[in-house]
Amino acid sequence: MPYVYLDQNVLSDMRERALSESHDEDLRALKTLCTPRDVEVLYTATHLREVQQIPHEKFRLEHIRLLNGLGAAYLTPVTNMLVRNHPKKVWNDFIENEYQNAAAGIDSVMEAQDLINRKLCGLPVDQTFSDLNSRLRVSLRLMLEDSLAQIENVSATELDKDQVESVKIQISDQLSSLENLPGLDVPDDQELGPRPFRQLEKIKEIEKCPAAQVIGLIEEIFRESNPDFHWSSYIDDTPENKIVVCYSLLNWAGYCADDFTSIKRGKDRFNASNNDLAHVQSGARCSFLISQDVAFLKKADAIYKHLNIGTLPLAPGEAIKHL
């Protein structure tokens, strides 16, 4: 059974209310083909985070009802297991987990790391790197201290004594290692962001290259410009991380640029770009990745071809010919 991954723009425009307004026959046909039969639609936490950003509850629930109507299965974060619970239960569990993450201090850690990433990309962030490094350390310490307090309250019936002691030692070791956590040592007057890289003459030609060759060319130029930089020093060599590297290279080179460094009123393109990356990662586990965003599809195509991933990135009109 082929798995189908729908980009958020497709999922949103497949809602019955949206279809009745748009009269989009391709999306109507795609919805019919994806409704429980010989294909299975997958959705992820990235979809749920994007649904969560919708201001009105009734519109959020339209997406959840659509997922149920499609018979969609949930692809879990990290473990990549398929869960076929009712989407409303998955949604409720997701919201509860968001509350727990906030209470445990995980959100604070993620916010500090997000600000560091934005500053590295040249976006305006008021704090210096030194300030942000300190903020990250404080957030990590509070999160670990909360975890240590929580494990102290675990009853003997939930974990045996040896397990509790082992976890406490691990958390204590992590707290101790925070003192030696290396921070970014970047001068605050140094030009950051992709602009210098995009101005290289060879980079300006990448849009003319066949999709299968684009990332190889960017990698070659990147190595020439940064001979001492090695991705393996920063991230593990996993399929998901290989996609991160490829997507980052495409973004920095400006290939089908999604304006991830732009600031527009009411729109967070940096966050949207991260969501797009997550969709490309999850889509790699499916037969088809379907989107209405042409630039997004071109990036996904270049990545999948470079990594020899068999997923087909398709627009709705093309997808209905394959299903």
Side-chain angles (χ1 to χ4, degrees):
M1 176 185 293
Y3 293 128
V4 174
Y5 193 93
L6 304 177
D7 191 7
Q8 182 65 25
N9 55 58
V10 174
L11 187 68
S12 183
D13 286 352
M14 266 190 181
R15 290 172 297 145
E16 193 55 43
R17 182 172 57 82
L19 282 175
S20 65
E21 294 173 356
S22 70
H23 306 290
D24 191 314
E25 295 304 321
D26 284 345
L27 282 177
R28 175 72 70 183
L30 181 62
K31 182 178 181 179
T32 300
L33 289 169
C34 288
T35 300
R37 44 183 292 278
D38 297 327
V39 302
E40 186 164 35
V41 173
L42 304 188
Y43 67 105
T44 63
T46 308
H47 289 102
L48 298 182
R49 278 194 294 271
E50 290 177 319
V51 170
Q52 188 182 26
Q53 293 169 6
I54 299 171
H56 299 293
E57 175 71 9
K58 67 176 183 177
F59 297 149
R60 292 196 290 266
L61 292 178
E62 284 181 358
H63 290 77
I64 304 304
R65 284 195 291 269
L66 173 60
L67 289 169
N68 183 52
L70 294 172
Y74 182 61
L75 183 65
T76 62
V78 184
T79 58
N80 291 308
M81 294 177 60
L82 286 183
V83 174
R84 294 181 173 85
N85 292 337
H86 194 293
K88 188 64 165 67
K89 181 182 186 322
V90 175
W91 170 251
N92 290 339
D93 290 345
F94 168 79
I95 295 299
E96 177 61 27
N97 189 60
E98 291 286 286
Y99 288 138
Q100 290 176 359
N101 285 347
I106 295 174
D107 282 5
S108 180
V109 172
M110 293 175 66
E111 286 168 7
Q113 186 61 61
D114 180 68
L115 286 172
I116 291 173
N117 292 339
R118 287 172 187 266
K119 193 172 182 70
L120 281 171
C121 288
L123 287 165
V125 175
D126 292 336
Q127 298 99 313
T128 65
F129 277 110
S130 177
D131 293 336
L132 293 172
N133 290 332
S134 297
R135 176 174 172 175
L136 180 59
R137 284 195 185 93
V138 169
S139 298
L140 284 167
R141 177 170 294 283
L142 291 173
M143 181 187 73
L144 290 169
E145 287 174 347
D146 179 77
S147 298
L148 195 57
Q150 293 292 330
I151 201 69
E152 294 278 10
N153 295 326
V154 172
S155 67
T157 57
E158 295 177 74
L159 289 174
D160 64 40
K161 186 176 179 181
D162 289 341
Q163 287 177 310
V164 170
E165 287 304 314
S166 175
V167 173
K168 286 168 63 177
I169 290 171
Q170 290 179 44
I171 296 175
S172 297
D173 287 346
Q174 290 173 336
L175 278 167
S176 299
S177 67
L178 281 180
E179 300 303 324
N180 299 317
L181 182 70
L184 283 169
D185 185 17
V186 181
D188 286 297
D189 59 353
Q190 180 174 326
E191 182 178 9
L192 299 171
R195 192 166 69 90
F197 189 58
R198 291 182 182 181
Q199 289 177 337
L200 296 174
E201 288 301 318
K202 289 183 181 179
I203 284 295
K204 294 177 182 178
E205 302 296 316
I206 60 168
E207 295 282 358
K208 301 174 184 177
C209 293
Q213 299 175 20
V214 167
I215 294 173
L217 174 61
I218 300 172
E219 282 182 323
E220 182 182 325
I221 299 169
F222 187 81
R223 280 194 296 268
E224 291 175 1
S225 304
N226 305 273
D228 298 324
F229 181 88
H230 302 284
W231 290 101
S232 58
S233 301
Y234 298 89
I235 58 177
D236 296 329
D237 186 22
T238 65
E240 290 80 10
N241 284 343
K242 287 179 180 178
I243 292 176
V244 171
V245 170
C246 290
Y247 197 91
S248 299
L249 288 170
L250 291 174
N251 259 355
W252 278 69
Y255 182 77
C256 298
D258 60 8
D259 297 327
F260 74 103
T261 59
S262 69
I263 302 172
K264 296 180 180 178
R265 192 170 189 176
K267 293 183 179 180
D268 187 343
R269 283 304 309 159
F270 186 83
N271 185 53
S273 181
N274 288 336
N275 287 339
D276 286 348
L277 164 59
H279 285 313
V280 174
Q281 287 177 307
S282 300
R285 297 183 175 275
C286 300
S287 302
F288 306 104
L289 169 64
I290 305 174
S291 176
Q292 298 181 94
D293 185 336
V294 175
F296 170 78
L297 289 174
K298 286 184 177 179
K299 279 185 180 177
D301 188 41
I303 291 169
Y304 293 156
K305 284 178 176 172
H306 179 73
L307 298 176
N308 295 314
I309 294 170
T311 305
L312 289 179
L314 301 169
E318 297 171 317
I320 58 180
K321 300 173 185 175
H322 288 78
L323 293 174

